[in-house]
Amino acid sequence: MQQELDRLEAAALSELHDVKTISQLEEWRIRYLGKKSALTSALRSLGSQPPEQRRAVGAHANTIKANLQSLLNAKQETLSLSSIDQSIGGASLDVTLPGRSMPIGRLHPITQVIQEICAVFARMGFQVIDGPEVERDYYNFEALNIPHDHPARDMFATLWIDSKEDRDARLLRTHTSPMQIRIMEQHKPPLRFVVPGRTYRYEATDATHDWMFHQVEGLAVDTDITLRDLKETLFEFCRSIFGRDTGVRFRCDYFPFVEPGGEIAIECFQCKGGGCRLCGGTGWLEILGTGMVHPDVLARCGVDPAVYSGFAFGMGVERITILRYGVDDIRHFYSGDFRFLRQF
Ligand code: FA5
């Protein structure tokens, strides 16, 4: 009986050596350690052995069983480790290599510049708010001293939603100035606000004009606000965005809702003032319109012009971005071309 058990153990060991997979190992287990295995039958038949052999055979069979069981456990561990290894590519996987970096998005250059502009004004005490892109005739024109049939309406090639003959017609706002009215209707002075947002004009496009572009409107109303406050605020803004060495030009201009009115232009980055296609040969790129809020506009919004005065401005964000980064055509911004956008 003892010899039979030794043969059984030798056969089990030699077969275990050839086992290569988990399923082969399971077959091996059933064959040598299962309920119907020769070893289990040998243990069961101990009762029929002569009493003097029973003890020795039993102990021997149990030793073999324990040995096979521990070899089974060890083999099981080795096989499951090597199957994990194979499933992740075996020896060809170099776990010390750095992981692949996922491409991450970025903010559009116009969004970046809007944030920068708002941060400059926030440092000067202005609050940032936004307003509707679909406006009423009243806010876009009427309340800004541009009644029906006023020739200044031609300055703003308008995209109408309703018939333009309709007194309360809706339109896509042509500038952010309607927010001057909404702010003064809703808040009492002192006021300091900037309003970034999209504006729309029915215009032929060229290197510096698009039919959709962004403006940042600014409004400050308080007692004793003068043209000097306007100029110093806007010059400080230009210095913050373009640096101290860039040429800034301040000239008179006309807008019906301010008196007096002005515009600011920045030296063209491309020709350094010499004149080129981008600046239309003038050497300057206009970035904003400005002026002292017209007393009639103040009065219409319930702000007493005898007590309060204010200044307002509206700047073109694409023009500022063009100058800031040396972009040669405004149409690149909305072309959706990643080769262009990835540069920012
Ligand atoms: C206005 O829109 C006035 N609302 C500005 C203003 C506000 C004046 C408050 C006084 C007081 P203007 O049409 O000039 O003004 O436009 C202002 C700026 O928007 C321009 O200086 C320019 O930088 C930009 N801009 C105008 N039209 C376009 C266009 N088609 N494409 C890109 N930028 C434009």
Side-chain angles (χ1 to χ4, degrees):
M1 182 77 182
Q2 298 248 27
Q3 284 164 356
E4 205 175 307
L5 286 174
D6 287 342
R7 267 200 305 279
L8 195 69
E9 185 182 25
L13 291 179
S14 126
E15 274 185 44
L16 186 62
H17 184 261
D18 296 336
V19 164
K20 297 277 180 294
T21 65
I22 297 273
S23 63
Q24 285 173 356
L25 186 64
E26 178 59 8
E27 283 166 21
W28 181 91
R29 186 193 67 75
I30 293 167
R31 199 154 50 248
Y32 290 103
L33 293 168
K35 281 188 194 137
K36 292 181 185 160
S37 67
L39 191 60
T40 311
S41 318
L43 281 165
R44 273 207 203 107
S45 68
L46 276 178
S48 58
Q49 296 291 319
E52 63 281 5
Q53 283 185 20
R54 209 180 287 163
R55 227 179 133 147
V57 172
H60 191 51
N62 274 327
T63 311
I64 292 173
K65 190 177 177 190
N67 184 31
L68 292 184
Q69 185 65 54
S70 84
L71 288 170
L72 169 77
N73 293 345
K75 188 87 178 184
Q76 217 157 22
E77 199 166 320
T78 319
L79 287 179
S80 62
L81 279 178
S82 79
S83 89
I84 291 173
D85 241 19
Q86 276 167 12
S87 70
I88 57 172
S92 66
L93 180 83
D94 180 353
V95 291
T96 62
L97 281 176
R100 263 185 229 126
S101 60
M102 298 295 284
I104 45 168
R106 66 193 74 203
L107 293 177
H108 191 279
I110 296 300
T111 309
Q112 292 182 34
V113 171
I114 287 176
Q115 289 184 350
E116 214 175 316
I117 293 170
C118 291
V120 171
F121 284 106
R123 283 201 294 275
M124 292 194 256
F126 285 73
Q127 293 181 54
V128 183
I129 54 163
D130 57 17
E133 288 175 31
V134 173
E135 262 300 358
R136 299 268 170 201
D137 184 315
Y138 176 77
Y139 289 101
N140 198 84
F141 292 127
E142 204 74 41
L144 289 166
N145 284 348
I146 314 174
H148 267 85
D149 309 323
H150 191 289
R153 287 208 176 195
D154 296 344
M155 291 165 69
F156 303 102
T158 309
L159 286 156
W160 293 94
I161 292 175
D162 302 320
S163 161
K164 65 177 180 180
E165 308 310 329
D166 181 349
R167 289 273 146 174
D168 200 24
R170 287 170 307 162
L171 49 86
L172 291 178
R173 67 177 173 193
T174 57
H175 52 173
T176 40
S177 297
M179 280 305 288
Q180 291 181 31
I181 307 300
R182 291 187 180 277
I183 290 166
M184 287 192 280
E185 280 180 350
Q186 284 164 23
H187 303 271
K188 293 261 165 287
L191 306 171
R192 274 171 190 72
F193 281 95
V194 284
V195 188
R198 288 167 192 246
T199 53
Y200 303 83
R201 291 191 196 170
Y202 183 62
E203 277 199 64
T205 64
D206 62 24
T208 53
H209 292 82
D210 214 338
W211 63 271
M212 189 286 291
F213 55 98
H214 292 75
Q215 288 190 340
V216 176
E217 191 77 13
L219 176 71
V221 179
D222 205 341
T223 50
D224 301 324
I225 288 207
T226 66
L227 191 61
R228 193 173 142 171
D229 298 308
L230 177 160
K231 282 183 80 176
E232 192 39 51
T233 305
L234 292 179
F235 279 27
E236 176 56 25
F237 164 75
C238 292
R239 286 193 288 267
S240 304
I241 297 287
F242 300 108
R244 294 190 170 264
D245 301 330
T246 307
V248 179
R249 186 185 72 183
F250 184 87
R251 289 204 306 196
C252 287
D253 199 357
Y254 170 71
F255 298 95
F257 37 96
V258 288
E259 179 56 36
E263 58 140 73
I264 285 185
I266 301 290
E267 196 178 53
C268 177
F269 73 90
Q270 199 155 272
C271 59
K272 296 276 173 260
C276 67
R277 183 187 73 97
L278 187 65
C279 58
T282 62
W284 299 93
L285 262 178
E286 185 203 312
I287 59 156
L288 63 86
T290 182
M292 300 301 293
V293 182
H294 197 291
D296 289 354
V297 174
L298 292 174
R300 196 171 290 118
C301 301
V303 177
D304 185 352
V307 180
Y308 294 105
S309 54
F311 66 80
F313 54 86
M315 57 182 70
V317 180
E318 280 75 2
R319 296 269 178 93
I320 290 170
T321 314
I322 282 176
L323 286 158
R324 182 74 201 273
Y325 293 111
V327 176
D328 64 359
D329 198 310
I330 195 171
R331 288 164 292 197
H332 289 314
F333 290 122
Y334 306 110
S335 63
D337 188 340
F338 281 123
R339 290 168 306 172
F340 171 77
L341 293 172
R342 275 203 197 101
Q343 300 175 89
F344 298 92

